[in-house]
């Protein structure tokens, strides 16, 4: 099997598994317990936090461990917007882009539905880019928060986060970015990016599912969503997932140790794959930005097919990928991300995403491109004329 669905999830890195194992077995203490077992767990958690903070170039106290990317996004969008409005009731708008993950979009809709916020949606261009001008056009004195993702999970387009965050700063509006897809591949130095909040998910970068991080800058207040014992500086109650935090810290540090080399190497493989597919299926269409995209994502529409059918044929041929985002799987509706790019619904339904781990090889991608040609050919032959 050739696994080309790494944007959905990745296997746990061996080193991360080794790092977390003690906290699932002998060192099983609760970090809040006042005995040696608890203290060992608290120390491991503190070290994991420091490890994450080093990669993010922030303070350990600015790192909140969560149950994953979805919770980090929820905490950022709801938690920051609600805390800001509590200090200034006029702050009642949130800005998101048109291609956010449902974890951000649905959090914003919740604020609208339940708390009476207005949601301003910044459009993207046909390659999925948010421009500085487009953001400027929606910012208002009563904007409480801007949330624009770093890299898109379906098309891989990478936003100019530092420039967008700088615009938000001009208006004194905190800027959150969902870096769930970006964190394994791109720099996540929060000072260089100038972001006030950033979400990361463990399982996209070699840590287990159910581990995540929300960075929040300094004194930026966050209204907690989960109440209880006051763990994570009161930002997120609940006994901490010590093993998950340790694994996330390990995987994040490892992926950033050689991030530039891996990104450069895999980008070359990605471009080779894109060219092969565009040649093999001449009327196929690359979605997202041609070059400002994740090293690990190549996404296409294959007109005259259905993405789901191509996916099934590819699996028969030994290639595993995705017909959209895994989070939207099970739904027949065309992807809102592709529609936001201006792609017609019938074309959007033909989308297939290939996403790689850093272990991907050129030989695998050559085989996968040949499988794409066969799969698309088979689906078109079967399609009613
Ligand atoms: N944000 C983006 C961009 C994602 O791709 C995903 C998962 O696919 C998430 C958030 C949610 O992360 P998690 O699966 O850890 O809840």
């Amino acid at each position: 099997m050739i696994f080309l669905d790494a944007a959905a999830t990745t296997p746990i890195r061996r080193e991360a598994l080794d790092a977390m194992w003690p906290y699932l077995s002998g060192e099983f203490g609760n970090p809040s317990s006042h005995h040696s077992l608890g203290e060992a767990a608290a120390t491991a958690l503190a070290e994991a936090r420091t490890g994450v903070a080093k990669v993010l170039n922030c303070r350990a106290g600015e790192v909140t461990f969560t149950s994953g990317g979805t919770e980090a996004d929820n905490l950022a969008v709801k938690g920051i917007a609600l805390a800001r409005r509590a200090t200034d009731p006029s702050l009642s708008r949130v800005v998101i882009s048109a291609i956010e993950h449902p974890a951000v979009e649905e959090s914003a809709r919740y604020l609208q539905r339940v708390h009476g916020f207005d949601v301003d949606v910044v459009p993207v261009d046909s390659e999925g880019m948010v421009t500085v001008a487009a953001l400027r056009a929606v910012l208002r004195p009563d904007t409480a928060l801007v949330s624009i993702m770093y890299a898109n999970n379906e098309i891989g387009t990478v936003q100019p986060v530092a420039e967008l965050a700088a615009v938000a700063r001009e208006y004194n509006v905190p800027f959150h970015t969902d870096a769930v897809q970006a964190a394994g591949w791109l720099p996540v130095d929060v000072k260089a990016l100038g972001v006030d909040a950033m979400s990361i998910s463990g399982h996209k970068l070699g840590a287990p599912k159910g581990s995540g991080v929300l960075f929040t800058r300094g004194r930026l207040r966050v209204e907690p969503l989960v109440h209880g014992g006051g763990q994570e500086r009161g930002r997120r109650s609940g006994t901490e997932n010590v093993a998950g935090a340790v694994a996330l810290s390990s995987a994040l540090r490892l992926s950033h140790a050689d991030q530039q080399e891996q990104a450069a190497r895999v980008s070359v493989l990605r471009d080779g794959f894109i060219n092969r597919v565009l040649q093999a299926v001449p009327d196929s269409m690359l979605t997202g930005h041609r070059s400002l995209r994740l090293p690990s994502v190549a996404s296409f529409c294959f007109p005259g097919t259905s993405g789901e059918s191509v996916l099934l044929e590819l699996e028969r041929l030994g290639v595993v990928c995705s017909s959209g985002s895994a989070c939207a799987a099970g739904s027949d509706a065309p992807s809102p991300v592709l529609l936001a790019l201006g792609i017609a619904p019938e074309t959007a339904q033909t989308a297939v995403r290939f996403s790689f781990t850093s272990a991907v090889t050129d030989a695998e991608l050559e085989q996968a491109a040949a499988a794409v040609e066969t799969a698309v050919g088979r689906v078109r032959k079967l399609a009613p004329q």
Side-chain angles (χ1 to χ4, degrees):
M1 180 185 85
I2 301 176
F3 178 72
L4 300 183
D5 201 15
T9 197
T10 60
I12 303 185
R13 290 179 82 127
R14 181 76 229 184
E15 301 91 332
L17 194 57
D18 288 345
M20 78 189 287
W21 174 245
Y23 305 99
L24 294 167
S25 49
E27 304 282 346
F28 61 87
N30 181 329
S32 300
S33 295
H34 298 282
H35 49 60
S36 58
L37 215 51
E39 277 157 20
T43 304
L45 190 65
E47 283 171 5
R49 203 183 303 283
T50 309
V52 170
K54 226 178 227 164
V55 176
L56 304 192
N57 190 21
C58 68
R59 291 199 308 272
E62 296 174 316
V63 171
T64 303
F65 286 113
T66 67
S67 67
T70 298
E71 189 192 331
D73 284 343
N74 272 260
L75 183 55
V77 174
K78 299 177 194 169
I80 296 169
L82 290 173
R84 291 208 79 215
R85 198 174 66 173
T87 57
D88 178 350
S90 76
L91 296 171
S92 58
R93 310 184 79 86
V94 291
V95 169
I96 61 172
S97 84
I99 57 167
E100 291 305 310
H101 187 273
V104 165
E105 146 125 66
E106 290 302 319
S107 294
R109 295 297 168 200
Y110 163 84
L111 288 174
Q112 182 178 41
R113 200 172 58 247
V114 178
H115 294 279
F117 277 77
D118 287 306
V119 179
D120 297 307
V121 178
V122 196
V124 293
D125 66 17
S126 61
E127 295 181 309
M129 277 288 176
V130 177
T131 63
V132 162
L135 175 58
R136 225 180 256 289
V138 297
L139 279 168
R140 300 243 308 244
D142 52 350
T143 304
L145 174 72
V146 175
S147 180
I148 296 177
M149 70 200 321
Y150 195 163
N152 184 268
N153 45 305
E154 292 184 46
I155 55 173
T157 298
V158 175
Q159 303 299 337
V161 167
E163 289 168 44
L164 297 172
V167 172
R169 207 173 318 122
E170 277 175 37
Y171 290 75
N172 280 325
V173 181
F175 186 97
H176 164 252
T177 193
D178 173 341
V180 166
Q181 293 292 342
W185 294 100
L186 304 174
V188 283
D189 177 330
V190 293
K191 291 208 176 85
L193 290 170
V195 297
D196 302 290
M198 183 165 75
S199 307
I200 291 177
S201 171
H203 75 106
K204 310 290 186 181
L205 45 80
K209 294 162 190 64
S211 59
V213 154
L214 178 66
F215 154 78
T216 43
R217 186 175 299 290
R219 284 189 228 290
L220 182 63
R221 268 199 25 78
V222 182
E223 185 61 41
L225 307 182
V226 181
H227 302 94
Q231 289 90 342
E232 299 293 303
R233 295 181 169 224
R235 290 192 287 252
R236 199 267 184 186
S237 288
T239 302
E240 303 88 336
N241 175 2
V242 179
V246 167
L248 192 156
S249 180
S250 161
L252 186 66
R253 276 183 287 129
L254 285 166
S255 64
H256 280 266
D258 60 356
Q259 179 246 313
Q260 270 182 327
E261 295 94 282
Q262 293 293 0
R265 190 183 65 80
V266 176
S267 293
V268 172
L269 299 184
R270 175 205 63 197
D271 289 342
F273 177 69
I274 289 173
N275 291 337
R276 281 184 190 125
V277 170
L278 294 177
Q279 264 170 26
V281 185
D283 61 347
S284 60
M285 184 180 109
L286 180 73
T287 56
H289 197 281
R290 189 72 180 81
S291 56
L292 299 175
R293 63 190 300 134
L294 284 171
S296 52
V297 172
S299 49
F300 304 89
C301 287
F302 298 113
T305 69
S306 100
E308 283 297 326
S309 309
V310 173
L311 193 71
L312 287 175
E313 285 299 334
L314 280 171
E315 186 157 11
R316 286 199 185 109
L317 295 163
V319 176
V320 175
C321 56
S322 159
S323 64
S325 69
C327 314
S331 122
D332 266 352
S335 146
V337 170
L338 297 179
L339 298 183
L341 267 53
I343 295 174
E346 59 276 16
T347 306
Q349 236 136 3
T350 71
V352 180
R353 176 190 72 187
F354 304 89
S355 51
F356 326 135
T357 69
S358 57
V360 72
T361 66
D362 196 43
E364 285 177 322
L365 292 181
E366 193 177 357
Q367 209 178 317
V372 170
E373 183 172 12
T374 307
V376 170
R378 281 185 192 166
V379 171
R380 282 183 176 162
K381 210 183 262 169
L382 292 173
Q385 298 303 310

